[in-house]
Amino acid sequence: MFEIFGIPSQALFGQLLLGLINGSFYALLSLGLAVIFGMLNVINFTHGAQYMMGAFAAYLLLQHAGIGYWPALVIAPLLIGATGVVIERLFLRRLRKLDPLYGLMLTFGLALVIEGLFRNVYGSSGLPYQVPESLEGGRNLGFMFLPNYRAWVIVLSLAVCLATWYGIERTRLGSYLRAATENPVLVRAFGINVPRMVTLTYGFGVALAALAGVMAAPIYNVSPQMGSDLIIVVFAVVVIGGMGSIMGAIVTGFALGVVEGLTKVFFPEASNTVIFVIMAIVLLVRPAGLFGRTG
Amino acid sequence: MKFAATLAFAVAALFGTATAQAQDNVVKIGVLTDMSSLYADIGGPGSVAAAKLAVEDFNPAAHGMKVEVVSADHQNKPDIGASIARQWFDVDHVDVIVDVPTSSVALAVSEVAREKNKAFLVSGAASSDLTGPKCSPNTIHWTYDTWMLANGTGKAVVKTGGDTWFFLTSDYAFGHALERDTAAVVKANGGKVLGHALHPINTSDFSSFLLQAQASKAKIIGLANAGGDTINAIKQGAEFGITKGGQHFAGLLVFISDVNALGLNTAQGLVLTSTWYWDMTDANRAFTKRWQVSLPGKFPTMVQAGVYSSVIHYLKAVAALKSAEDGRAVVAKMKEIPTDDPLFGKGVVRADGRKIHNAYLFEVKKPEESKYPGDDFKLRATIPADEAFRPLKDGGCPLVGG
Amino acid sequence: MPEAPALLAVKELEAWYGESHVLHGVTLDVRTGEVVTLLGRNGVGKTTTLKAVMGIIESRTGSVRFEGKELIRLSSDAIARSGIAFCPEERGIFSSLDVKENLLLPRQVRPGGLDLDRIFALFPNLRERLNSQGTKLSGGEQQMLAIGRILRTGARLLLLDEPTEGLAPVIVEQIGRTIGALKAQGFTILLVEQNFQFAAALADRYYVMEHGRIIDHFAAADLKASTEKLHDYLGV
Amino acid sequence: MERVLDEPVLVRRRNAGRSVGAAFAVMVALLAAAPFVVYPVFLMKALCFALFACAFNLLIGYVGLLSFGHALFFGWASYLTAYAAKAWALPPELAIIVGTATAAVLGIVAGGLAIRRQGIYFAMITLALAQMMYFFALRAKFTGGEDGIQGVPRGRLFGFFDLADKTTMYVFVLVVVLAGFLLIYRIINSPFGEVLKAIRENEQRTISLGYKTERYKLFAFVLSATLSGLAGSLNALVFQLASLTDVHWTMSGDVMLMTLIGGLGTVFGPVVGAFLVVAMQNYLASFGQWVLVIQGAVFVACVLVFRRGIVGEIAAALRVRL
């Protein structure tokens, strides 16, 4: 095995791959944020809590209904997405004509409520969720032992991201979404029920977060605070990528996961901060973010 | 003016009651713990329940005393802990604070207790500094500490063949101390430390640290961390085939609540040191049964048992002095009379404030070995009380002469 | 054709932008098959009238009847679905959509809309640019796209807001011919226009607006007689 | 996307001076009498947060910028003050200056980066920058990591007043906070403040009038950061402790809640909000987990039905400015 800057290539490739796994979560979450932001002009601070709710939904489905991982992968996002629909209808819709900062504050408050409730009921030391049997074990890639489940996370997240991209950029329904992002008033005057689309879009973005939560459940413990720390990193990812494009959100998510992984090899002390430092640099060079549109 | 009136009303309504309470002869025990966060299952409501059981068993009426238990959540933040402690002592006439998981909070509360001359009985916090350089005539450290954990687990593991170590260390004072102490024990017993990886507190993804541990080929991966971090590290270690690859985890601070969170399937084989286990004696089982009335389905940790034990002993000392006013005097009394309670048996409190009792080395059972809920540990060794804790002279506590 | 029933009947229409009251009781009607033009200076409320009819301005009162059905309480998507199509002044071409997606965007609300081939017959340029980004088209092409896409919907009443604004005379001429052709095909059109020459060639009737009110109304036949007045109104 | 945060409370300016003056007098009287009734440490804490919230309000209420990272200034000032007082044994007045100056410098850096974007982006950037510095505080040696800096001596003010004395400390905190309050009031009613409000209403128009709005915004940001730092410095001395709590993002959330409850863009709102939130945290502590839920619910309620906040509603009802 050769070495790069004194680091065995083994460790390097291993960390790169791990970075990609983390990137999967960043990408799914920032994608959801981008989809929501596009239609609602709201930064969904509840996103972290909804990610957590996804994980809890998987856990509770298993505990109380005996429903395993595979069905949960579909059911949990639908359930949590439905709560998103309710949130949009009850709360966000009433703020549409106000400054988007109110949306941020509202979703922040909701995040506190949700996290508090879950802490209240489930404590905080985390609840276990097993890797599904069919994905147990792993394979030795030579440079590292890659658990099958983690490989699955990369594949699934990539697939969901690309499917979402395709759906938005290449389909009829997606053209409605893009058009409504640009000029909702006119799209509505073309006979399309934009408010319903907004509601469903929010539900969809929330469902993406919940899906990420289900995917995370077997890797991390299911715990009420799992979302709140992650969400701030994802915000930084979003600022770096800019809210310009769906692809931007996906690419930035994966790329920053990898960068973070590399930092863990070369300069572990900075692994928490590297994304924020990149954010500062990107802001200096390209205030609109890497994929953002100015103006 | 409406605004002024509102403000005045609000102020009066909210705070007016605070100072209204008169001084009386009630002994007030404040359980200051983590009710909502990382260590809520280690201490938390379970500690409050334990304290209440202790009061019940002490039977204050028989001693002509009145005892009240209050509780608050310090959220693992030293600032919140210190300000609650201050307010309890200043305003609410609390005489003693018990539990306080999280070393940083315990150190802060210890300062306040000393300043206000009240008693402080630590059960939840780990730092051996509490009876070392930062010892206080008002503080007793009851259940366990970092030195004891390092000594118990470290020595036992090396002696059973785990002679090469790699540490996953929580990157703050508690983790550093735990690693340092354990590394010293490992080396003293002829083992070798191959390396370490520092991880931030509350890390959700340990995979990259585990990869380093794996690459080190050390037999033992020592977890110098606590709570959720320990849980996550072990869980993800299983996923990366660490245990199947022949490496073993040594959890330096593992509680039964952590084991339950992990599930036996993942936690099996884990070696840990504890000073108390619910299923060891009939007295412990009886206590557990009563305790479970408040927390059904859970099992008390050593911290919660320590709260019980420390409260019993405290009340005995207060009864002997007939006053809880002077915290220093009560603590001195507690050091003077020997301890004896159903959970920890007979013991002593040392001059530096260290409570001395046995420690036990446990191994987590395999799922098939566990016959009923909570049947998690099997005993591997008993560390006698006089070996379990740091010798008095090594602590550097200014209270100890010479 | 004064005896024909009004396809669109607007009565006492009032509208507000936030706090400011912009329409003060607009009353007009458009009969099936007509081209009716709203004239007036900048800022008198012509565009607002179209938007209020379309429900784009939500705070409005009065009555808007289309085919006898009251629309004033409906949202703009429901109004569109009842069979009215709107082409905004700023054309509203979506930059994130290509030409084809722009064309296919408005919902088909009734059978009998023009299919793509017939739209390309009207606007041959569009066929070649089908895969370009919508906003990469020239101003004229964008206007054609904006009109073309609402022809697909099957709506028989078109609200066109200044379709000639900022376009070269050749293009204006082409748009004029197109509107003529649409009229011949039986579309009913309510047109807002500043370019009086352009409107004169097309319209059956005119309404003149000032300060959010209709101040005058005459048929094409009376145009000559009204020229003087018009110069006054429009300040030409 | 340069929308105004909210329709400002319409007021009659001629009443303004009188109502604010009267309310100020009442506030001072209440605060002077309060320590005889209320636990002084609680009062001092609430006062520090009142100053913090007022500083935060300067930015959101008068410039329309929502900073989600104000804990950065509060917390780092608190660290530096604590460190200066403990490790360098500086007298309290110098320790406070060290802390406040740190906040000012951080304000220049963070502000310089953040005001490049507006609205939600601004909020996210300030949040991310603060979080970065949170991790730095967690790692840095001098902050004591999880332990924080404990046992900070209060020292003797100007070598003369012993701040270990409760009453002296209270008077000191009260004087500093009132001075900060008056400074902010002065700023928002100065020509500079008028430009800030113009930016809030419509930045494009303000630019077209020839104002370099970026500079105004940056200056307001730095001012707000500095005063937040002053609050953090005081807080460190009151509790003789600087800890991670002070730099954590929940602190930024708290100050946002205080300002929102009290009333964005009102003079007294942040003060009222600070007292309410601090009281809530103190007196609901026994409810444990529910504090978070209650705080969140109050947030939601404020945003949905109560956007003017308490003081804003009162002011609107009385048709005065407060």
Side-chain angles (χ1 to χ4, degrees), chain B residues 27 58 63 65 67 96 119 121 140 142 309-340 349:
Chain B
V27 177
F58 174 75
H63 297 79
M65 289 161 59
V67 181
V96 59
L121 314 176
I140 293 179
W142 202 268
S309 169
S310 62
V311 168
I312 292 255
H313 192 59
Y314 172 81
L315 291 175
K316 280 183 195 166
V318 172
L321 284 175
K322 305 210 183 319
S323 163
E325 275 311 298
D326 182 349
R328 213 158 291 163
V330 178
V331 168
K333 194 80 194 164
M334 290 175 76
K335 289 174 183 173
E336 191 186 309
I337 52 180
T339 69
D340 185 9
V349 180

Side-chain angles (χ1 to χ4, degrees), chain B residues 312-384:
Chain B
I312 292 255
H313 192 59
Y314 172 81
L315 291 175
K316 280 183 195 166
V318 172
L321 284 175
K322 305 210 183 319
S323 163
E325 275 311 298
D326 182 349
R328 213 158 291 163
V330 178
V331 168
K333 194 80 194 164
M334 290 175 76
K335 289 174 183 173
E336 191 186 309
I337 52 180
T339 69
D340 185 9
D341 67 82
L343 301 189
F344 284 80
K346 291 187 197 313
V348 290
V349 180
R350 251 173 16 192
D352 58 356
R354 179 68 255 166
K355 160 76 165 46
I356 303 295
H357 41 244
N358 287 349
Y360 308 96
L361 191 69
F362 292 110
E363 187 183 319
V364 176
K365 286 186 173 173
K366 294 192 178 72
E368 59 270 25
E369 292 170 327
S370 171
K371 295 186 186 66
Y372 39 88
D375 181 17
D376 294 339
F377 297 165
K378 56 188 171 199
L379 183 65
R380 273 183 48 170
T382 299
I383 308 160

Side-chain angles (χ1 to χ4, degrees), chain B residues 221-360:
Chain B
I221 299 171
L223 300 176
N225 49 25
D229 284 338
T230 306
I231 295 174
N232 275 338
I234 294 174
K235 200 174 172 199
Q236 293 172 26
E239 199 193 340
F240 278 85
I242 297 261
T243 28
K244 287 197 185 95
Q247 291 175 302
H248 289 282
F249 283 110
L252 296 173
L253 180 48
V254 179
F255 295 94
I256 194 165
S257 52
D258 300 334
V259 170
N260 287 335
L262 281 165
L264 289 182
N265 202 20
T266 314
Q268 57 178 305
L270 192 67
V271 173
L272 59 102
T273 307
S274 182
T275 55
W276 191 84
Y277 171 47
W278 75 273
D279 204 13
M280 277 185 87
T281 66
D282 287 337
N284 290 2
R285 281 184 283 270
F287 168 78
T288 301
K289 212 166 198 176
R290 290 168 60 213
W291 183 86
Q292 282 174 332
V293 173
S294 327
L295 291 105
K298 301 201 171 180
F299 293 90
T301 62
M302 64 169 160
V303 167
Q304 291 150 348
V307 167
Y308 173 91
S309 169
S310 62
V311 168
I312 292 255
H313 192 59
Y314 172 81
L315 291 175
K316 280 183 195 166
V318 172
L321 284 175
K322 305 210 183 319
S323 163
E325 275 311 298
D326 182 349
R328 213 158 291 163
V330 178
V331 168
K333 194 80 194 164
M334 290 175 76
K335 289 174 183 173
E336 191 186 309
I337 52 180
T339 69
D340 185 9
D341 67 82
L343 301 189
F344 284 80
K346 291 187 197 313
V348 290
V349 180
R350 251 173 16 192
D352 58 356
R354 179 68 255 166
K355 160 76 165 46
I356 303 295
H357 41 244
N358 287 349
Y360 308 96

Side-chain angles (χ1 to χ4, degrees), chain C residues 24-73:
Chain C
H24 302 268
V26 171
T27 300
L28 58 83
D29 48 35
V30 182
R31 291 164 211 137
T32 309
E34 268 189 324
V35 172
V36 172
T37 302
L38 272 179
L39 296 171
R41 300 188 204 196
N42 266 336
V44 297
K46 303 186 300 284
T47 297
T48 309
T49 304
L50 291 195
K51 287 186 172 174
V53 167
M54 206 57 218
I56 290 172
I57 294 170
E58 286 174 357
S59 62
R60 63 200 200 280
T61 62
S63 161
V64 174
R65 280 176 178 275
F66 175 67
E67 296 177 333
K69 193 178 138 202
E70 182 58 71
L71 301 183
I72 198 80
R73 303 228 170 279

